[in-house]
Amino acid sequence: MSLPYRRILLKLSGEALMGDLAFGIDNAVVKRIADEIAQVVALGVEIGVVVGGGNIFRGVSLAAKGADRVTGDQMGMLATVMNALALEGAINNTGCNARVMSAVGMPTICETFTHRKALKHLENHRVLIFAGGTGNPFFTTDSGAALRAVEMQCDALLKATQVDGIYTADPNKDPDAVRFDRISHQEVLSRGLQVMDTAAVSLAKDNNIPVVVFSIHEPGGLVEVAQGRGTATIVS
Ligand code: UDP
């Protein structure tokens, strides 16, 4: 079977791990996602995962209450490490080999990101979970995902969202919203479509990385899009 992507970068928001909870991590949801990641590995695809932290903490929420934004963002980056550890455990439970690398050094908990070691993990077919976003405040894990996708020479960035692609407007609020099958990076930027932040889309555009936007709620959806099938919007 010929696969469209040899190596992919999956972006999972913190919200994706939350399920129907109002906060935190739903273990059943994490297990389902881990099972799907293991199925993608079984196809022979190398996979890196960038996890968000919005289910636990976002820097802007602290800044909105008058506190320091940098401190808030540091707390947000720590939240991504918690999610990464939860996902690592669930993937290891499937029998697959997962590793967490953090952009923020915390060597008693996980490896610190280095380009060379990260590439080795991927080449050895380990699921590599990138925690800590870019390691810098004022960025998001979407930007972290685009950055790692470029650095790790991924063939595509798979962005798991709440809906099955990019729409002209939020389909949960606007019944007239129309879904795109394909769209260019430039059009996503010029139309101001809310799929990833502009820094992330720009980085993907400048480095010719296709972005595949699909629903995390569709069972088996990840396995389908990893094979170039299923319902998704392809940004290229
Ligand atoms: N964050 C940061 N730098 C980064 C990535 C993340 O400061 O490179 C912080 C920021 O406060 C952000 C939080 O971590 O709000 C959680 O990340 P994000 O909002 O991207 O998570 P998601 O929305 O994907 O769950």
Side-chain angles (χ1 to χ4, degrees):
M1 180 180 50
S2 89
L3 292 163
Y5 314 117
R6 177 189 50 93
R7 179 180 292 163
I8 58 175
L9 192 293
L10 170 66
K11 165 66 207 293
L12 285 177
S13 65
E15 203 179 2
L17 306 181
M18 200 165 68
D20 292 330
L21 304 177
F23 172 86
I25 299 169
D26 182 331
N27 287 328
V29 171
V30 176
K31 183 181 179 311
R32 179 180 69 76
I33 294 172
D35 285 344
E36 289 202 27
I37 289 172
Q39 288 175 54
V40 172
V41 173
L43 292 171
V45 179
E46 294 172 14
I47 178 164
V49 186
V50 167
V51 282
N55 56 324
I56 300 171
F57 200 84
R58 279 185 213 280
V60 281
S61 63
L62 194 69
K65 291 178 190 138
D68 180 48
R69 170 71 188 265
V70 173
T71 306
D73 281 342
Q74 288 168 340
M75 293 166 72
M77 287 186 265
L78 292 177
T80 71
V81 180
M82 292 193 219
N83 285 333
L85 293 173
L87 188 62
E88 180 189 42
I91 294 171
N92 282 331
N93 283 342
T94 68
C96 246
N97 209 336
R99 286 286 165 84
V100 175
M101 281 193 137
S102 171
V104 181
M106 44 183 81
T108 53
I109 294 180
C110 60
E111 288 180 44
T112 304
F113 173 79
T114 65
H115 181 247
R116 199 154 24 136
K117 279 193 190 159
L119 277 177
K120 273 271 166 283
H121 283 316
L122 289 173
E123 283 159 11
N124 288 331
H125 293 273
R126 296 191 184 107
V127 178
L128 183 52
I129 306 168
F130 298 100
T134 65
N136 299 291
F138 301 100
F139 282 94
T140 65
T141 53
D142 278 351
S143 291
L147 176 66
R148 297 296 183 231
V150 175
E151 276 185 296
M152 296 294 121
Q153 299 150 22
C154 291
D155 302 312
L157 194 175
L158 272 49
K159 160 87 179 169
T161 64
Q162 304 299 310
V163 290
D164 60 357
I166 303 178
Y167 286 75
T168 48
D170 183 347
N172 294 323
K173 293 181 187 150
D174 183 349
D176 297 327
V178 177
R179 198 179 142 277
F180 296 95
D181 277 333
R182 280 190 168 268
I183 187 168
S184 68
H185 296 90
Q186 184 55 49
E187 207 174 346
V188 170
L189 293 170
S190 58
R191 284 177 176 246
L193 297 171
Q194 303 292 318
V195 55
M196 295 199 300
D197 57 75
T198 51
V201 178
S202 297
L203 197 55
K205 173 178 177 283
D206 292 348
N207 292 280
N208 292 319
I209 302 263
V211 182
V212 183
V213 182
F214 71 103
S215 170
I216 194 62
H217 300 300
E218 179 65 34
L222 170 61
V223 185
E224 287 288 302
V225 293
Q227 297 173 87
R229 305 196 303 239
T231 309
T233 297
I234 298 181
V235 184
S236 63

